[in-house]
């Protein structure tokens, strides 16, 4: 994470699921960005594997769609893309991959397939000895969702760790590829003024929001079997929670950071069934308007069961039982079809004693807040109070705003650039260990269990709103309110 990066070593990236959305929209454009930066060179080859009937040239033209044809290096990389038709369960596929790779090359296997195939592909790769490291490295990248619940994540980890060493496994959570997520570490640990107040002595509560305006698009089948909790909470939202909640690591080395993050996620207090009822809100959008455009109800989306009980929104109040955070609630929320796209972290600070300001016109002074905007408008705001000019002491809320775009040339990246590059140079800092994934599932498992036991119906919220009113009530009960979404 420090110093000027070198070019990654030559390698073949074998992508299972080469014709899918992830490969086309994110992986290949990310590789093209890396080429432009000189972070990968002409030693990079791509072997796409999928079941469709096609050839090298057809795969290349499929990939053209999301790449600028004039992008530096694309014409060359394009020539180094090959296609292999094969079923993920067929031994012949793995023999063919072996023949293409030869013995000694560096190779990384990217599992961009439906999650049900992860275990099988890893087992077949191992059986074909494609994961044996000789002169070159052999690495496996696994996309989320890593399991469907705690039990399936444990099983998948067991299947994989018996075949390949943990050092060869790269579990992806693409939120970690976002610059602003990584910036949380710098904001906290490079700035003593910030870190000094980053604890339960000064922080009243923390809010973590990942609001989206998009619905489920073409992913109805996957999403209806998954829901907002599994899709976003134990992975993306907990990554943010871990970055906010962790203790300072000894270094930026993968193990040091991973240990601290896992400690914090493991310290999330186990929710009782009663708390699941009072502290977790489950929502599903009904028809509404977003940005003036009509939006159908979730239950009317393609490939969604019309009688669906799947949640498209979740809000929750969690406690982290560490010395730093004891007594500080963490409120998390995420949802589809909301009023605005906004991923942010808010630290709200405790009020000052009222004595000095008892004559002020308001009964409660607006709080100090540190707002970290993860996306789309990356930056950090600090809301504080200033004196209103005039003869008496009156306060006025003001804000200091840092916007990334005002200071740095921000390139539009996919978020996968850093992840792919780090994998190629063997840096696991931004990847998830087996323990981290399991700790996250363990924290949400009581909620999943209670929901399925009690067949909890989601609360309705209008598409284009801020979420269900029950989520507002969750904070109001504690004398607090959600930070307003922009837009
Ligand atoms: C994915 C989820 O992991 O993250 C999607 O499956 C979600 O449902 C997406 O839309 C959000 O990622 P980003 O980078 O657009 O915030």
């Amino acid at each position: 994470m420090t110093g000027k990066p070198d070019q990654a070593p030559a390698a073949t990236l074998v992508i299972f699921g080469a014709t899918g959305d992830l490969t086309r929209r994110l992986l290949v454009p990310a590789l093209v960005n890396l080429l432009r930066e000189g972070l990968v060179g002409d030693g990079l080859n791509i072997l796409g594997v999928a079941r469709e009937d096609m050839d090298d040239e057809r795969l290349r033209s499929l990939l053209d769609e999301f790449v600028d044809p004039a992008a530096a290096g694309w014409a060359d990389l394009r020539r180094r893309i090959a296609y292999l038709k094969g079923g993920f369960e067929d031994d012949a596929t793995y023999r063919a991959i072996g023949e293409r790779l030869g013995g000694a090359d560096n190779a990384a296997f990217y599992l961009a397939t439906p999650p049900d195939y992860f275990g099988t592909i890893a087992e077949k790769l191992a059986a074909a000895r494609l994961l044996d490291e000789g002169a070159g490295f052999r690495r496996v990248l696994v996309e989320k969702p890593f399991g469907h619940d705690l039990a399936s994540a444990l099983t998948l980890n067991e299947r994989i760790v018996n075949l390949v060493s943990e050092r060869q496994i790269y579990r992806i959570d693409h939120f970690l590829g976002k610059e602003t997520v990584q910036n949380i570490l710098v904001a906290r640990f490079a700035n003593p003024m910030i870190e000094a107040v980053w604890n339960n002595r000064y922080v009243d509560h923390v809010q973590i929001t990942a609001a989206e305006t998009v619905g489920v698009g073409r992913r109805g089948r996957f999403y209806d079997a998954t829901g907002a909790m599994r899709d976003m909470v134990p992975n993306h939202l907990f990554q943010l929670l871990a970055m906010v909640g962790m203790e300072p690591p000894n270094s930026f080395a993968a193990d040091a950071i991973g240990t601290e993050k896992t400690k914090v996620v493991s310290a999330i207090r186990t929710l009782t069934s009663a708390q699941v009822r009072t502290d977790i809100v489950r929502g599903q959008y009904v028809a509404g308007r977003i940005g003036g455009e009509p939006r159908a109800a979730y239950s009317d989306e393609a490939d969604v069961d019309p009688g669906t009980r799947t949640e498209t929104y979740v809000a929750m109040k969690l406690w982290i039982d560490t010395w730093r955070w004891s007594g500080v609630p963490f409120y998390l929320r995420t949802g589809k079809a909301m009023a605005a796209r906004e991923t942010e972290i808010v630290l709200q600070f405790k009020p000052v004693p009222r004595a000095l300001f008892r004559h002020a016109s308001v009964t409660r002074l607006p709080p100090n807040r540190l707002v970290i905007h993860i996306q789309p408008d990356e930056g950090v705001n600090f809301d504080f109070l200033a004196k209103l000019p005039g003869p008496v002491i009156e306060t006025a809320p003001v804000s200091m705003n840092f916007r990334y775009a005002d200071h740095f040339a921000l390139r539009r990246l996919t978020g996968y650039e850093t992840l792919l590059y780090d994998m190629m140079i063997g840096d696991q800092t931004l990847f998830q260990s087996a323990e981290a994934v399991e700790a996250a599932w363990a924290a949400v498992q009581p909620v999943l269990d209670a929901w399925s036991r009690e067949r909890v119906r989601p609360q309705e919220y209008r598409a284009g709103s801020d979420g269900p009113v029950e989520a507002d009530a969750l904070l109001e009960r504690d004398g607090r309110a959600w930070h307003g979404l922009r837009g």
Side-chain angles (χ1 to χ4, degrees), residues 144 174-175 178 212 219 231 236 336 341 375:
K144 78 167 256 287
H174 81 275
F175 262 46
K178 295 182 192 290
E212 298 183 281
R219 302 163 74 219
D231 189 39
H236 303 329
K336 301 273 186 206
R341 175 163 189 249
Q375 61 184 22

Side-chain angles (χ1 to χ4, degrees), residues 250-262:
N250 279 352
S251 73
F252 282 136
D255 282 357
I257 294 187
T259 304
E260 296 305 336
K261 284 171 61 188
T262 307

Side-chain angles (χ1 to χ4, degrees), residues 311-322:
E311 77 285 354
T312 60
Y313 175 100
V314 57
M316 52 204 304
K317 173 170 151 183
L318 298 176
W319 299 95
I320 299 179
D321 286 327
T322 60

